Amino acid sequence: MNRLQNAFDNRKRELLMTFIVAGDPDYATSLDIMRTLEEGGADIIELGLPFSDPVADGPVIQQADHRALSAGMNTDRFFSLVRDFRKSSDIPLVVLTYTNLVLQRNIDNFYQDAADAGIDAVVIADLPFEEAGPYIAAAETAGISPVMMVSTTTSKERLSGILKVNSGFIYLVAALGVTGVRQTTDQNARKLLAELKSLTKIPIAPGFGISDHTQVQEWGDAGADAVIVGSALVKKIGEYYTRQDLLIKEITVFVENLKNQT
Amino acid sequence: MQLNTRLGKYGGCFVPETLMGALEELELAYLNILPDPKFQEELSEYLTSYAGRETPLTLCKNMSRDLGCKVYLKREDLLHSGAHKLNNALGQALLAKHMGKKRLIAETGAGQHGVATAIAGAVLGLEVEVFMGEVDIARQALNVARMNMMGARVIPVTSGTKTLKDAMNEALRDWVARVGDTHYLIGTVAGPHPYPTLVRDLQRIIGDETRRQIMVAEGKLPDVIVACIGGGSNAIGIFHAFIDDKNVRLYGAEAGGEGLDKRHGASLCGGRPGVLHGNYSYLMQDSFGQIIESHSVSAGLDYPGVGPEHAMHKDSGRVTYHAVTDTEALEAFLYLSRTEGIVPALESSHAVALARKIAPELSKDSVMIINLSGRGDKDVETVIRYMEEKA
């Protein structure tokens, strides 16, 4: 029934969660990329519903958002894309977006539409626990897993509140700053992972700055239940989207490389 | 958070998780350091002997004769730096220093807030980096030079619309990466809690002074107060002291740009509520919630959002908001310059234009106060171009 929970329950090693922006560079190519990710071994696909003002994102994902929006992506088309993809796939799907896009559709409608399209979980990058009440309630009504974020700057008091939410997984912000490729791993984030593992049974998925197989494996060894790779993949799309012939091949190689290590 | 983060149903704290700790820290400073008498004394010293407060309330005889009511200007244009922005910048910079921060970052549109932050950083010994859209850098070259001269680094923003909105995005992104040693000095009554309240409390000195000054000059409260609204800090600053005086009519002049049916920056008059830059307030957006590019001849009002307290006052009807077009503002710029020998900022010119529209409803003895939030030196080139096109 619950694709996401099944994936976590049946995992042998850490799961690979790959992030792309929906509609980047366009609707049809995006659909091809999603299929390629699944065939290449991604265990979960995280789809960015692009927003005009993505304050949590670095330049790579900002540009992807811009490409997608310029090609006509919007919330209606986003759900069409998910429905089209769902016709031939049962992979867990997570949405990452910003508060205003959920709010403007009407919170309840957004989660219901997401559930109807086949989305399993929703992460909202600018929605801290304090503001999340109506969103969590709407998610639960629709049968969607809300996903809360935790970072190394999250206080103990707030963390205890966040851990009470029945999250599909906890998105561990593995690096201070915006999304984007980083060379080194923040040791405080590693410590936070260990702390979270001792406090909760909710799966933990680090993301932000994780870009290659070595980092994925390190996080897996450290106990992560899933590892999120975003900007490094989106960067490939940015490099190759004008070369349709090479794009799919590049993505296949990229995701297989990540996966071979998990 | 210890305080209610909402102003009516607006406001809140819609930021990435990483920033919540910094906002909690700032709220603590707001609650514990800001009200401390020693802190207040230190701030007051800077505001008076350094910045030049209090600013005059000027009775404008020529304009009064012309408009048929008593017109006063609250002269924030005479504050050091040339705009009201310094009240907030000095207050927050001093607060940041007491919090142990080493570095200030700021967003700026017209450059006035960037200049104010550069001043505060220079006098208080804090490193300053200012995010400014490329479009604004081009149209506000004078202020860019001023910031550089005072040791601030101006960082060009090339993302999105390359104006104030995107400068704020970049400042937030920078802050997420360096929350430890950096204070984000937001320049207006928007952003996540506690900024709207903090900035209002640092700007309310405008209204507090005005209230005392008008009681001395007229022995009564004014009938009308007019201020321009981008994010809305000068307007909240002067309105706040009069909010409970129901007989004082309050008017806000938004950037009507080319008109509400064309490109504009009037989020209260032409937008609807949504979430941007950490708070829930009126926004210019499409039906899906994507933010629409704003437009105004005045860079300081060229912003698709507005402070949440204004959203609350709009819904309650306590403040009346009108859109003033680019052309009306440019004409008001020339009008005030010629009539009184005072060259207003294009932002403040929107308030002057609205005051001219309201004046016919007032009697000869009515008292109208316009908040002249800044001086217009920085806008002279824009106005020259307008006059050339018109000729």
Side-chain angles (χ1 to χ4, degrees), chain A residues 101-121:
Chain A
L101 299 186
V102 180
L103 186 65
Q104 295 308 323
R105 198 174 186 86
N106 173 294
I107 299 172
D108 291 333
N109 293 349
F110 184 94
Y111 283 94
Q112 197 53 57
D113 291 347
D116 292 346
I119 296 285
D120 300 290

Side-chain angles (χ1 to χ4, degrees), chain A residues 26-39:
Chain A
D26 57 56
Y27 188 102
T29 312
S30 206
L31 206 50
D32 283 346
I33 293 172
M34 288 168 74
R35 290 176 182 138
T36 308
L37 292 173
E38 184 172 9
E39 284 161 17

Side-chain angles (χ1 to χ4, degrees), chain B residues 48 89 109 116 124 241 244 299 361:
Chain B
T48 51
L124 293 171
D244 294 331
E361 302 163 18

Side-chain angles (χ1 to χ4, degrees), chain A residues 3 79 82-83 86 91-93 113-121 144:
Chain A
R3 287 172 289 247
F79 288 130
V82 174
R83 280 194 299 273
R86 264 285 171 251
I91 194 171
L93 287 175
D113 291 347
D116 292 346
I119 296 285
D120 300 290
I144 295 256

Side-chain angles (χ1 to χ4, degrees), chain A residues 184-196:
Chain A
T184 55
T185 301
D186 180 352
Q187 290 309 317
N188 289 328
R190 203 49 74 66
K191 279 184 211 141
L192 177 60
L193 173 64
E195 189 191 343
L196 287 170

